[in-house]
Amino acid sequence: RRYVAGGRCKSAARLEGKVAIITGANTGIGKETARDLARRGKVIVACRDIAKAEAAASEIRAETGNQQVTVRKLDLADTKSIREFAEKFLAEEKELHILINNAGVMLCPYSKTADGFEMHLGVNHLGHFFLTFLLLERLKQSAPARIVNVSSLAHHAGRIRFHDLHGEKSYNRGLAYCHSKLANVLFTRELARRLQGKSQRRAEFTANALHPGSVQSELVRHSFVMMWLWKIFSFFLKTPWEGAQTSVYCAVAEELESVTGQYFSDCQPAYVSPWGRDDETAKKLWSVSCELLGIQWD
């Protein structure tokens, strides 16, 4: 079990006076990440399902004694919802120190978001890309600030298929997930490069990605086979608390205050696939993402 559990975040860093947003924090590793950060500072739970989010936030408030755990509506499959979330947040909060892009979908039958994006790409990559774009100035104003993107080991099997980004020519839901997780790694790499280039002090803004491990969660709910396998091999899976450790580590660890553009697993640097280190693909994905979202982000 100790081997399966992997690394643990040992940082006791406090976040008094600081604000963290965690997407998809009503269940799984997102909820456990919120629970940990709520012991340190203010947390905003950003979720599509408000009822589940309120239940999770209530449980976290009761357990941690921190009443500064609030819920906000955010549907990453709808850019209108993302913009509304950002506008409300910016009107209510003057600072943002940690943005954890945690929410995700996996193994979905073919479907599209409200804006016509393939669901995995739309939610896992474009939704978080757009959210980060809308909140970046507030993060800059609050520096030092951190952006944490939850990716996956699955990025090794991913490719950015620019000729068929939305899977209209061919679609495999397993590979679609892998492609979106590679997009997370490439987005992190290019974001870190751009932030570093515009900051005189490297520690002001950091962006890192991570693999949480194979975790017992609702993420496999779209696949009966995966749900069955998860039950059979549950002993070899991380608990949500164990899976959240690297997210927490990237968000608070003191030794990472100047580390950016990296990929972590079990609270330590991990190997990135050759496709995840391709700067030209990262730049092109950035450009194409901006075009799809109708934004200019230079």
Side-chain angles (χ1 to χ4, degrees), residues 43-195:
V43 175
I44 294 175
V45 174
C47 297
R48 177 174 55 86
D49 190 326
I50 291 296
K52 287 182 70 174
E54 288 289 1
S58 178
E59 177 187 318
I60 292 170
R61 285 192 291 265
E63 182 177 321
T64 63
N66 182 2
Q67 298 308 303
Q68 290 189 306
V69 179
T70 57
V71 173
R72 293 290 179 268
K73 171 81 172 179
L74 173 64
D75 184 354
L76 288 162
D78 186 347
T79 55
K80 181 181 178 183
S81 174
I82 299 170
R83 190 176 290 279
E84 288 174 350
F85 168 86
E87 288 174 351
K88 186 171 184 180
F89 173 83
L90 294 173
E92 295 176 349
E93 301 288 343
K94 300 307 177 188
E95 294 187 303
L96 175 60
H97 305 89
I98 299 170
L99 172 61
I100 303 181
N101 291 319
N102 164 83
V105 294
M106 179 181 182
L107 303 175
C108 297
Y110 188 76
S111 57
K112 290 188 174 182
T113 68
D115 302 276
F117 309 140
E118 186 277 317
M119 189 61 69
H120 292 89
L121 182 78
V123 171
N124 298 351
H125 168 59
L126 291 171
H128 284 128
F129 185 96
F130 190 44
L131 178 65
T132 305
F133 165 76
L134 294 173
L135 298 177
L136 190 64
E137 286 306 312
R138 188 57 43 91
L139 283 159
K140 287 182 178 180
Q141 294 164 10
S142 309
R146 301 187 189 192
I147 298 165
V148 179
N149 294 323
V150 179
S151 181
S152 170
L153 182 69
H155 85 270
H156 284 269
R159 305 288 185 274
I160 304 302
R161 305 170 70 246
F162 290 109
H163 67 286
D164 189 24
L165 274 179
H166 303 295
E168 294 168 326
K169 297 177 181 177
S170 65
Y171 179 75
N172 177 290
R173 56 185 181 174
L175 288 177
Y177 174 73
C178 297
H179 301 334
S180 71
K181 294 291 100 177
L182 174 59
N184 293 154
V185 172
L186 291 168
F187 168 45
T188 304
R189 187 177 183 89
E190 181 63 9
L191 177 62
R193 186 186 70 81
R194 288 167 177 257
L195 291 177

Side-chain angles (χ1 to χ4, degrees), residues 22-57:
I22 307 171
T23 67
N26 61 349
T27 187
I29 65 173
K31 181 179 176 182
E32 292 304 322
T33 303
R35 195 193 309 274
D36 185 288
L37 295 194
R39 295 190 176 97
R40 306 169 190 260
K42 183 172 183 177
V43 175
I44 294 175
V45 174
C47 297
R48 177 174 55 86
D49 190 326
I50 291 296
K52 287 182 70 174
E54 288 289 1

